[in-house]
Amino acid sequence: MNRLASKPKGPKPLRRLGLGLLAAALLAAAAPPARADASALATEDQKKLDERSIRINRFHTFPLLKAQAKAAYKLAYGGTPSAEADSRLDGAIDELAFSAIQKAVNNDPFYPKVYWLNAPPRDWFGLKVPGGRYSYDNPDNIYRTIPIDGSSKYVLRGKRTGPGPTDVTFSLIRNPNSQQTVSILSGKDLVVGADGSYAITIDRDPAGGRVNHIQSSGEAVQLFVRNNLGDWNAETPDALTIERLPDGNTPQPKSDLVIAAEAWTNLQESIVAYGVGALGIKTHTNPVNTLSSPSLSSTLGTLVTQASSFGHFKLADDEALVATVQTGGAGYFVFPVTDPWMVTVDPIRRQSSLNNRQAAPNADGSYTFVVSVQDPGVANWIDPAGLHEGTIMLRWQDLPLAASAAGGPSVKTQVVQLSGLGAALPAGTRYVTAEQRRRQLDDRTAGYALRLR
């Protein structure tokens, strides 16, 4: 038998090339196709930014600043925290520190990316991404950041699928921590094409006839995008991409050490903005179990076109906080509870928030919510996830330019015994069975999972 006859013929490099192409073809055939219904958040840029945030977090833990943050938060709390509150403080500060890193990781205006942050911990892309929640994270909200330089020109392109978010805002801000709005484009002014696409130009020039234009300035450092999802099971965030128009200026990308230094600054500023400002001044200056009158603000991380109300609660096992809310004609409204340090507890599996798409309205168009440790069987129960104390920040967005005939946004609260709850609720209050509650929670969990698919 001629052994040479059994060998492949032809030059060795060509045989190797042929085998390589065959292997690549086989791998391509075996690889699963890209999912057409993949989340708009699951981008390659998101993966790379998450990877870098995790790496920097591993080597830069900021122990001194974390100790300062804990001291500031305790001072804002008003003294020695209860054992229940104290048990959550370390986790809240760890998330605050990770959020400072996330803000810094996507802070190069010459190489801008779209980054989803201020969210609970998640497992995706094979990564275990820590939570980065801070200062009243809203479970309805998809928060995304884009670094901006006032002297550059950018085009943000979006693609909307289905009905789109209940509310959308694009805020150009001076500071990633205290925000300080420079300019804003709201959802009602956004022009979206019939195919769901849109483009937003961002530069220092006036619009000059351009639709969807945001005029920048030398003070602008970031575009902060909010997509509020009212119906988690039907609404999806817009897909976003950002392009910086070439101008010949291409400096070196920032190193991990530079990013860590910027994260240090972010954390230092966050202690003041959120610990002193949001928790102390905005929240704990109000008497316990009350909520402040709704007000507008462009600082401390709040949306300039949004009315907000702040408060903190402390309830016994047999008590409930009953809150009746007038929407003031807002297109979007949400009633969430957070832990004593302004962080959501388990917003995916617990009904710790309800918005005007999810909640059952009263006959007069108002909404009544019940905050209690025990489930009272009311459809509009706000679950503090086992906590007896916590914080609350109500939000009204997309408010009408002229005051509503029923008046502006407002909220009234009272504490009652659970045994007498029925007498404190309006006629026609909707109750749910245990099975209906289970379906409520199953729908909530399934809706959130759409963000991670």
Side-chain angles (χ1 to χ4, degrees), residues 140-160:
D140 294 341
N141 222 329
I142 305 298
Y143 301 94
R144 284 175 283 185
T145 63
I146 301 166
I148 294 294
D149 175 75
S151 62
S152 300
K153 296 185 177 184
Y154 303 86
V155 179
L156 176 67
R157 295 180 176 87
K159 185 64 165 56
R160 181 164 295 173

Side-chain angles (χ1 to χ4, degrees), residues 348-361:
I348 303 170
R349 287 167 288 272
R350 308 290 283 263
Q351 190 169 279
S352 58
S353 68
L354 287 172
N355 61 53
N356 54 317
R357 297 290 179 91
Q358 299 165 332

Side-chain angles (χ1 to χ4, degrees), residues 140-142 165-166 227-232 235-237 355 451:
D140 294 341
N141 222 329
I142 305 298
T166 294
N227 280 190
N228 293 86
L229 308 183
D231 184 339
W232 293 10
E235 299 175 18
T236 56
N355 61 53
R451 307 179 192 186

Side-chain angles (χ1 to χ4, degrees), residues 18-49:
L19 290 172
L21 291 173
L22 176 61
L26 289 172
L27 286 172
R35 291 183 54 173
D37 63 344
S39 168
L41 305 174
T43 66
E44 187 62 27
D45 281 346
Q46 180 75 35
K47 177 185 177 182
K48 291 177 180 177
L49 291 167

Side-chain angles (χ1 to χ4, degrees), residues 102-353:
Q102 287 184 301
K103 293 173 187 175
V105 159
N106 190 34
N107 192 38
D108 192 336
F110 295 98
Y111 303 94
K113 297 177 176 63
V114 179
Y115 194 23
W116 174 37
L117 39 61
N118 198 5
R122 59 182 177 270
D123 292 349
W124 70 344
F125 297 124
L127 303 172
K128 288 190 175 297
V129 185
R133 294 166 290 182
Y134 62 94
S135 192
Y136 294 112
D137 57 296
N138 179 1
D140 294 341
N141 222 329
I142 305 298
Y143 301 94
R144 284 175 283 185
T145 63
I146 301 166
I148 294 294
D149 175 75
S151 62
S152 300
K153 296 185 177 184
Y154 303 86
V155 179
L156 176 67
R157 295 180 176 87
K159 185 64 165 56
R160 181 164 295 173
T161 303
T166 294
D167 191 38
V168 177
T169 52
F170 303 86
S171 302
L172 200 58
I173 59 176
R174 295 183 179 88
N175 184 285
N177 306 302
S178 60
Q179 300 220 341
Q180 303 172 25
T181 303
V182 174
S183 183
I184 189 168
L185 177 65
S186 64
K188 66 177 65 175
D189 296 321
L190 180 68
V191 178
V192 180
D195 63 349
S197 64
Y198 58 87
I200 300 172
T201 53
I202 307 161
D203 56 51
R204 299 183 69 165
D205 299 327
R210 291 177 290 178
V211 298
N212 297 340
H213 180 67
I214 300 175
Q215 186 170 2
S216 184
S217 74
E219 298 177 304
V221 299
Q222 186 184 92
L223 186 69
F224 196 78
V225 183
R226 293 174 174 89
N227 280 190
N228 293 86
L229 308 183
D231 184 339
W232 293 10
N233 301 90
E235 299 175 18
T236 56
D238 294 346
L240 299 176
T241 59
I242 185 70
E243 178 189 6
R244 178 180 178 272
L245 302 185
D247 62 359
N249 193 359
T250 55
Q252 282 290 109
K254 294 181 179 181
S255 67
D256 281 8
L257 283 176
V258 170
I259 291 171
E262 292 181 355
W264 190 94
T265 299
N266 286 338
L267 183 52
Q268 188 179 49
E269 292 182 359
S270 295
I271 294 170
V272 177
Y274 311 138
V276 177
L279 185 60
I281 297 171
K282 289 284 189 179
T283 303
H284 275 275
T285 53
N286 301 302
V288 67
N289 295 328
T290 67
L291 290 164
S292 63
S293 296
S295 61
L296 299 174
S297 174
S298 62
T299 59
L300 305 181
T302 56
L303 178 62
V304 68
T305 57
Q306 157 186 293
S308 307
S309 174
F310 299 83
H312 59 111
F313 66 90
K314 186 172 288 189
L315 300 168
D317 283 330
D318 61 351
E319 291 181 322
L321 176 68
V322 180
T324 299
V325 176
Q326 300 288 346
T327 68
Y332 168 81
F333 160 80
V334 65
F335 190 114
V337 294
T338 41
D339 74 4
W341 315 113
M342 308 175 295
V343 175
T344 51
V345 179
D346 187 4
I348 303 170
R349 287 167 288 272
R350 308 290 283 263
Q351 190 169 279
S352 58
S353 68

